[in-house]
Amino acid sequence: MDDFFAARSQMALSLGFHIIYACIGMVMPFFMAVSHFRWLRTHDVVYQNLTKAWSKGVAIFFATGAVSGTMLSFELGLLWPQFMEHAGPIFGMPFSLEGTAFFIEAIALGFFLYGWNRFNPWFHWFTGVVVGISGLASGILVVAANSWMNSPAGFDYVNGQYLNIDPMAAMFNRAWLSQSIHMTIAAFAATGFAVAGVHALMLLRGKNVVFHQRAFAIAAAFGAVAAILQPLSGDFSAKDVAKRQPAKLAAMEALFQTEKPAALVLGGVPDEKNQRVDYAIKVPGMLSFLAHGNFQQEVQGLDRIPRADRPPVLVPHFAFQIMVGLGTFLMAVSALYFFALWRKKAWLRSKWLLRLFVAAIPLGFIAVEAGWTVTEVGRQPWIIYGVMRTRDAVTPMPGIQYSFYVFTAVYLVLSFLVIFLLSRQIQMVPKLYDRPDRPLQPVLA
């Protein structure tokens, strides 16, 4: 393994690990706030205990996300010093604001966890809402920094120098809005389905039915709404990418030749050597419509991109197909769920619907990982699109593969630790019942 590949692999591992915990940390506080609100309004002790159970999960994911995020920040300087030297002063503002949001989130979470029976009940609830808002802001600010890499702004690049730096223009670049919306909705969909699926599994096992029914209803509502909205944000993102990064769109769709009109490619295996896609289903004119809102519009292919500037095709294409396929499945499950709420309430107690949610537990996060793969691999060979190549930014320090091995081991340990803590937390819930069909008794903080 050469150092360049090791550096990219380590960064991919770190981002792939951190994004899961970041998504959960952004979203679960809102589940917690809803159940807490219902406890305050109804004084139903099931909601109180659900809030406390979820707050412990939020604390676990917050701690894990803090560790992985800190490691990620060190890796930027360790692996990509040339990038940080030039880019740091330009897009440092969203990172500094993200640090502020992180500290607010940490303080608010401390207030919430230790504020039971100590604060005014509504102020205590408000601290939980602040946890969610600050976590969401933190995620959006990080995405703003990443979007700058896809759409550089806020500086003039003259003779290899970065001049006239404007941090605000860098933060609010042309890509930040579409990426932020798409990532935020994806986080709600993935986390909503994962949490709902866990509670659906407990319902299938007949354990603590009242508790898990309430939890399932809250999580499924968030996840289903997000999954139905996601195609709209995806369309917004696709049109934005078509304007700013035509090479990425061509790689996503395995569009080797410029077409007018351009067909949408479903599935298929790209053959980069022969510049074609095998075993694909093509929908005439649909890519033109999705990219430009016109069935007859020309879509630029890789043939118009200099060979040295072309991204790889196989990985972005497969990742894009996975993301869209899983998103479509989650949207279909969401439609069934809302139809059940509207006309077929008996379905809500059916095993087949619960099994669909159980099957969907990992799918939202797989789609998130696939989406980030499209974003990062589709930008290659650039680390700053059109300005700095990834190979030029990597550290000259040798032995990066050993760093990759160490970080991999750390992330594996963290993963096992989180799984252990969460499984223990889930197993503790039944101990709060006298019988599975009886409501929870109050639990002290």
Side-chain angles (χ1 to χ4, degrees):
M1 181 185 294
D2 65 44
D3 289 334
F4 180 59
F5 183 74
R8 291 188 62 190
S9 298
Q10 182 174 325
M11 205 69 195
L13 173 72
S14 302
L15 284 168
F17 182 90
H18 179 69
I19 195 64
I20 294 176
Y21 297 102
C23 286
I24 298 172
M26 288 166 61
V27 174
M28 271 203 71
F30 291 100
F31 300 175
M32 181 181 75
V34 169
S35 63
H36 194 187
F37 178 81
R38 291 187 176 179
W39 151 245
L40 293 175
R41 291 296 301 269
T42 66
H43 297 290
D44 184 337
V45 73
V46 176
Y47 285 121
Q48 182 192 38
N49 287 292
L50 176 57
T51 303
K52 291 183 177 182
W54 274 346
S55 69
K56 291 180 175 66
V58 169
I60 292 170
F61 285 112
F62 176 83
T64 310
V67 172
S68 60
T70 302
M71 293 172 66
L72 198 58
S73 64
F74 283 123
E75 287 179 61
L76 284 172
L78 173 69
L79 302 176
W80 314 103
Q82 295 298 317
F83 168 71
M84 292 303 294
E85 177 185 353
H86 297 289
I90 304 173
F91 78 108
M93 178 173 285
F95 273 141
S96 63
L97 293 176
E98 190 274 337
T100 302
F102 172 80
F103 284 122
I104 293 173
E105 183 182 7
I107 293 168
L109 181 59
F111 281 170
F112 187 84
L113 292 175
Y114 297 101
W116 289 97
N117 304 320
R118 293 180 177 89
F119 294 142
N120 174 280
W122 285 104
F123 176 77
H124 183 220
W125 170 79
F126 176 72
T127 63
V129 174
V130 172
V131 174
I133 294 174
S134 55
L136 191 62
S138 179
I140 290 174
L141 288 165
V142 170
V143 172
N146 179 267
S147 68
W148 177 84
M149 297 165 69
N150 290 306
S151 181
F155 67 97
D156 293 325
Y157 187 64
V158 181
N159 297 325
Q161 299 294 318
Y162 297 80
L163 307 175
N164 302 322
I165 294 173
D166 183 349
M168 291 298 293
M171 183 166 68
F172 296 110
N173 56 80
R174 290 187 298 167
W176 85 270
L177 182 61
S178 62
Q179 281 195 215
S180 296
I181 292 174
H182 196 58
M183 184 62 224
T184 300
I185 296 176
F188 273 93
T191 306
F193 271 93
V195 174
V198 170
H199 292 289
L201 181 61
M202 295 298 105
L203 288 172
L204 287 170
R205 293 177 178 177
K207 295 182 177 180
N208 309 332
V209 173
V210 175
F211 178 91
H212 291 295
Q213 279 179 338
R214 305 280 174 82
F216 174 83
I218 294 172
F222 273 98
V225 170
I228 288 176
L229 292 176
Q230 188 68 318
L232 299 177
S233 72
D235 180 69
F236 180 33
S237 294
K239 286 180 169 58
D240 182 60
V241 169
K243 294 177 182 177
R244 294 182 299 97
Q245 294 176 291
K248 179 184 288 187
L249 180 69
M252 289 160 51
E253 288 294 332
L255 186 66
F256 292 104
Q257 304 297 326
T258 301
E259 293 183 6
K260 181 183 180 181
L264 179 69
V265 174
L266 302 178
V269 179
D271 182 349
E272 295 188 55
K273 181 179 179 180
N274 297 306
Q275 303 286 288
R276 67 169 189 254
V277 185
D278 298 323
Y279 316 114
I281 299 172
K282 295 189 176 183
V283 183
M286 185 56 69
L287 181 59
S288 295
F289 176 76
L290 293 176
H292 301 293
N294 185 327
F295 285 101
Q296 300 300 318
Q297 186 77 25
E298 179 181 273
V299 178
Q300 180 176 320
L302 290 171
D303 58 322
R304 293 190 180 176
I305 307 296
R307 190 168 293 276
D309 296 341
R310 295 180 188 178
V313 176
L314 189 68
V315 172
H317 179 70
F318 280 155
F320 182 67
Q321 298 292 311
I322 290 170
M323 179 185 69
V324 173
L326 294 180
T328 302
F329 175 79
L330 295 181
M331 184 176 64
V333 174
S334 302
L336 285 172
Y337 178 69
F338 283 126
F339 183 74
L341 286 174
W342 177 43
R343 298 295 297 271
K344 297 285 186 179
K345 294 192 181 296
W347 287 6
L348 299 174
R349 298 185 296 276
S350 64
K351 290 185 177 181
W352 66 267
L353 185 61
L354 293 175
R355 285 171 180 156
L356 282 176
F357 275 91
V358 172
I361 289 175
L363 300 186
F365 291 116
I366 295 174
V368 168
E369 298 284 10
W372 273 98
T373 300
V374 172
T375 298
E376 298 304 299
V377 179
R379 188 178 63 245
Q380 299 308 311
W382 306 100
I383 190 169
I384 306 175
Y385 187 69
V387 178
M388 178 183 287
R389 295 181 185 271
T390 307
R391 186 172 288 278
D392 296 334
V394 72
T395 178
M397 183 179 68
I400 294 299
Q401 67 267 29
Y402 301 110
S403 171
F404 169 65
Y405 300 145
V406 170
F407 274 77
T408 300
V410 170
Y411 285 128
L412 286 173
V413 171
L414 279 174
S415 298
F416 286 124
L417 182 61
V418 169
I419 292 170
F420 169 75
L421 292 173
L422 288 177
S423 62
R424 184 181 177 187
Q425 181 63 31
I426 292 170
Q427 290 169 5
M428 288 175 62
V429 172
K431 297 178 182 179
L432 306 177
Y433 284 90
D434 293 325
R435 293 203 314 266
D437 57 343
R438 290 184 60 182
L440 286 167
Q441 298 302 313
V443 180
L444 296 178

